[in-house]
Amino acid sequence: MDIKKGENSFFVGDNEKESLTKIEFGQIGDTIIINHTIVSEQLKGQNVAMQLLEKVVDLAREKNKKIIPICTYAKAKLNKNDQYLDVLQK
């Protein structure tokens, strides 16, 4: 899966703005806020949302930032697994 980094997202496809498969986030200081995750019908069931989330987690670890998940998918996945405790904003 070819996942690209946009200005405020990781996405699949040729264009960040038109992509139907992406995770959108904003950054405020040392915090990344995950706003939205969307996966196109063609890619559902292929673990793409988790791959997108992992890209944000990798970015947070690389830049020494914390994550606040507003998106319900990201919130559920990050809060469910102890391996993300280092990046979750408390």
Side-chain angles (χ1 to χ4, degrees):
M1 178 75 43
D2 185 25
I3 298 175
K4 299 174 184 154
K5 183 172 183 325
E7 188 174 329
N8 291 303
S9 72
F10 285 99
F11 66 98
V12 175
D14 296 327
N15 183 312
E16 176 183 14
K17 301 233 184 284
E18 296 174 13
S19 177
L20 298 177
T21 302
K22 61 184 162 185
I23 189 165
E24 298 174 331
F25 57 89
Q27 297 185 59
I28 301 172
D30 290 334
T31 305
I32 295 173
I33 301 168
I34 300 175
N35 300 311
H36 193 66
T37 305
I38 183 170
V39 176
S40 68
E41 286 298 321
Q42 301 109 310
L43 296 176
K44 284 194 176 178
Q46 297 181 41
N47 204 33
V48 176
M50 193 65 210
Q51 291 176 52
L52 292 167
L53 181 57
E54 285 291 339
K55 290 287 190 181
V56 178
V57 169
D58 291 346
L59 176 68
R61 287 179 175 148
E62 178 184 312
K63 303 286 186 184
N64 199 29
K65 293 182 181 265
K66 296 292 185 180
I67 296 174
I68 297 175
I70 303 298
C71 164
T72 54
Y73 172 81
K75 186 183 289 190
K77 291 296 183 180
L78 293 175
N79 285 319
K80 187 167 111 177
N81 195 323
D82 287 349
Q83 76 181 22
Y84 303 118
L85 289 175
D86 65 313
V87 293
L88 270 176
Q89 180 80 33
K90 297 184 179 179

